[in-house]
Amino acid sequence: ELKVEQNPLFLSMQEGKNYTIYCNYSTTSDRLYWYRQDPGKSLESLFVLLSNGAVKQEGRLMASLDTKARLSTLHITAAVHDLSATYFCAVLGNGNQFYFGTGTSLTVIP
Amino acid sequence: GAVVSQHPSWVICKSGTSVKIECRSLDFQATTMFWYRQFPKQSLMLMATSNEGSKATYEQGVEKDKFLINHASLTLSTLTVTSAHPEDSSFYICSARDGGQGVAPLHFGNGTRLTVT
């Protein structure tokens, strides 16, 4: 069974600070996705990482993938309140299904 | 961009009744759609993979007779929660990929919040 774990589960950080969210997965995969979910809303695609060493950046968020370590990171630079949300990583399974991580609930404090 | 429409957004029903949730891909064809369930402050749990023109594939532990899935066309999949009970109350989200297999991300519907009284 494919397992996807995120760390930390909850994160409270001050505006302007940097932090990294980690996503570990249990099986070989070279396709990893990051999503954002606002309270009561559906999921919004943030990044698609397709190969070892892939790095994508959008605004204050940067995602990377290390397929050998089965690890992806989502780095937050100079956090702002608008980034408060829950972030999920997801791995593509053998049957073309997406398996989601446990989620990281981020709260940015003024 | 790819848009997935889900209806209704929320529904309240009495125990024992059935509820149908529709998921439509608006600007692309989806031979495969995925149904997820999410409890408050938890991750998404894959319930089943809906395949156009064939039977759905259910994840282990998901009752196929309780959660009926029909994928009658390339743009529509439905999930029917039969004989609903309060423990079925949850947030149900459908998703699909534009381009089937490959690298495209999943696009999600807005979700349906089901409350069974």
Side-chain angles (χ1 to χ4, degrees), chain B residues 3-113:
Chain B
V3 177
V4 176
S5 174
Q6 189 172 339
H7 179 82
S9 299
W10 58 271
V11 57
I12 301 172
C13 71
K14 292 185 177 180
S15 288
T17 61
S18 295
V19 174
K20 179 185 283 188
I21 302 169
E22 293 188 349
C23 180
R24 296 181 184 272
S25 55
L26 296 187
D27 50 0
F28 66 100
Q29 294 183 331
T31 55
T32 304
M33 291 185 176
F34 304 93
W35 288 94
Y36 289 86
R37 180 175 183 177
Q38 186 180 34
F39 291 104
K41 299 188 184 300
Q42 294 191 24
S43 187
L44 282 75
M45 182 191 79
L46 179 64
M47 298 176 64
T49 301
S50 172
N51 304 298
E52 187 269 336
S54 64
K55 292 182 178 180
T57 304
Y58 290 83
E59 295 297 301
Q60 191 173 7
V62 178
E63 298 177 62
K64 61 181 181 180
D65 294 331
K66 181 166 187 63
F67 299 99
L68 300 179
I69 291 173
N70 184 277
H71 195 149
S73 76
L74 288 171
T75 59
L76 173 64
S77 175
T78 61
L79 169 67
T80 301
V81 183
T82 63
S83 187
H85 290 282
E87 56 265 32
D88 298 326
S89 298
S90 189
F91 191 52
Y92 293 86
I93 314 176
C94 71
S95 62
R97 302 171 76 191
D98 184 5
Q101 300 189 27
V103 304
L106 279 178
H107 296 280
F108 287 86
N110 286 330
T112 297
R113 187 161 303 282

Side-chain angles (χ1 to χ4, degrees), chain A residues 1 10 31 33 35 37 40-45 47-48 50 88 92 95-103, chain B residues 32 34 36 38 42-44 46 49 59 91 93 97 100-111 113:
Chain A
E1 179 185 342
F10 299 95
R31 296 177 184 176
Y33 304 77
Y35 289 86
Q37 185 180 35
K41 304 291 185 181
S42 191
L43 278 76
E44 172 191 355
S45 177
F47 298 109
V48 179
L50 302 175
F88 291 97
L92 189 63
N96 204 31
Q97 311 99 323
F98 281 60
Y99 292 93
F100 284 81
T102 45
Chain B
T32 304
F34 304 93
Y36 289 86
Q38 186 180 34
Q42 294 191 24
S43 187
L44 282 75
L46 179 64
T49 301
E59 295 297 301
F91 191 52
I93 314 176
R97 302 171 76 191
Q101 300 189 27
V103 304
L106 279 178
H107 296 280
F108 287 86
N110 286 330
R113 187 161 303 282

